[in-house]
Every structure is written in C-alpha cells, then in structure tokens.
Amino acid sequence: MSVVKSIKLVLLGEAAVGKSSLVLRFVSNEFQENKEPTIGAAFLTQRCSVNQTTVKFEIWDTAGQERFASLAPMYYRNAQAALVVYDLTKPGSFIKARHWIKELHEQANSADMVIFLVGNKLDLVEEDEEQRKISREDGEALAKEEGCFFMETSAKNSINVNDVFTKIAEEFLKKT
Ligand code: GDP
C-alpha cells in the first residue's frame, strides 16, 4: 500500500496572471480562454505520485484583486508550499510577485515552505519575443536571491505545468 502525504499549497499573484489556469491545467488538464475571475479563494485537490509516495495537493487559489489581499495570510500561514505567479508580459506583475515573496519571508513560516516563482504565459512570448517584458535571467535572479525555485510556464499550451507541481511534491517530501 502506498503512503499518502497531504500538502497545502497556496497560489499568490496579481489578478489575471493565470493562477486559476495553472491549477485547472494541473487538476483537469484543461484550459479556458476567458476564465471567470476567482472571488476570494477557490479550493481544489489533486494527487501526484513521486516514487512510492502519493502527494495529495490541497490547493488554495486566491483572488488577485487588491481588495482580497488582506485575506491572503489566512491561506499562506499554514501552507507548506506557495506558488507565486507573474505574467511574463506584465512588468507590474513581476513587482507584485517580489512583494509576495518578501511577505512570505516576513509573515509565513518560510523556512519550512517550498516557494516556487513562476513566470506564466510563455506561449505569448514564444509566439512573439517582443511580448516578453521580464527576461528569464531576471526571473532566475529573483528566485536565487529569495531562495525560491523557478520555472517559466504556459497554462495554455501546457508547458512545464506538471513539472512545477512535481518539483514541489519532490521538495516537500525532502522536507518531511
Ligand atoms: P488569475 O486571475 O491569476 O487566476 O488568472 P486566470 O487563470 O483567470 O487567467 C487570466 C486570463 O489569462 C484568462 O483569460 C486566461 O485564459 C489567460 N491565461 C492564463 N494562463 C495563460 C497562458 O499560459 N497563456 C495565455 N496566452 N493566456 C493565459
């Protein structure tokens, strides 16, 4: 019989960077072009196998709107992992991601937390390099500075999405 370990994961990031879309891709391998915004927070689960262990993700997808920002601590305080997302075509979203990571270091138990920085909408950048507003190097540098893991993803074209969640599961198992 295989072991099941639960991990609480919170998604943080500016509105419309693709948080819900990354979760939808991971949970049901779907993509919706015009997703309704998340109000408050949404809860979903998905399992992922790493070696002999099943990791059950309990995912809290928070709303990016500023008016919900004060609720975020409720979700990240008891989380073992955080996915901080920005949009590769939106400079403001990268600044916001930096703020979220700093907040996690200040307010959450970040030493025990797997923090993953994700630059999403890679498909737009691959289609037209002019669209890219944050270089891969800048993303990597921020992640290194803050002790986070880093990947660029596309929820739309399913690039690196499963890899992000698998890596989180692996790192979580290393800590437990
Ligand atoms: P959230 O507010 O951060 O949860 O963002 P959503 O998941 O609601 O996505 C916002 C918009 O961006 C929606 O119209 C999505 O279809 C679109 N979107 C999300 N991920 C991607 C992606 O990887 N590529 C592209 N081109 N669009 C995306």
Side-chain angles (χ1 to χ4, degrees):
M1 219 179 72
S2 79
V3 184
V4 180
K5 290 194 174 170
S6 294
I7 174 172
K8 288 196 190 69
L9 169 77
V10 64
L11 276 96
L12 300 166
E14 194 171 83
V17 295
K19 298 181 295 300
S20 303
S21 299
L22 288 165
V23 174
L24 189 67
R25 174 61 76 194
F26 174 57
V27 170
S28 33
N29 199 17
E30 282 174 48
F31 178 75
Q32 292 171 9
E33 203 63 58
N34 293 302
K35 262 203 93 312
E36 293 288 315
T38 307
I39 308 294
F43 178 72
L44 289 121
T45 65
Q46 174 65 306
R47 282 159 193 262
C48 171
S49 292
V50 177
N51 304 323
Q52 306 304 317
T53 309
T54 300
V55 175
K56 184 184 170 210
F57 278 96
E58 300 173 354
I59 306 170
W60 288 96
D61 176 17
T62 65
Q65 292 92 340
E66 213 41 61
R67 68 198 148 108
F68 294 113
S70 60
L71 296 180
M74 228 162 62
Y75 298 102
Y76 65 61
R77 275 210 188 107
N78 58 0
Q80 285 103 12
L83 199 58
V84 179
V85 186
Y86 64 95
D87 177 338
L88 291 166
T89 72
K90 298 264 158 56
S93 73
F94 188 60
I95 293 168
K96 190 74 208 176
R98 183 189 297 273
H99 287 154
W100 277 122
I101 295 170
K102 298 240 182 255
E103 184 167 330
L104 288 174
H105 285 319
E106 283 161 18
Q107 308 288 338
N109 196 3
S110 65
D112 297 333
M113 207 187 234
V114 180
I115 305 178
F116 218 113
L117 176 68
V118 162
N120 189 42
K121 308 200 183 179
L122 185 61
D123 58 288
L124 296 178
V125 168
E126 286 185 339
E127 223 166 74
D128 172 13
E129 194 53 38
E130 295 266 294
Q131 295 257 354
R132 183 187 274 278
K133 296 295 173 331
I134 297 105
S135 68
R136 190 179 293 252
E137 291 71 26
D138 283 353
E140 279 167 353
L142 174 59
K144 196 167 172 210
E145 212 175 284
E146 299 291 346
C148 307
F149 296 93
F150 173 72
M151 263 187 214
E152 292 186 341
T153 61
S154 166
K156 183 172 182 177
N157 290 358
S158 194
I159 306 170
N160 290 341
V161 180
N162 279 320
D163 292 2
V164 166
F165 285 92
T166 304
K167 179 77 179 160
I168 292 172
E170 286 170 357
E171 292 300 323
F172 167 67
L173 291 177
K174 277 191 206 164
K175 284 178 183 269
T176 54

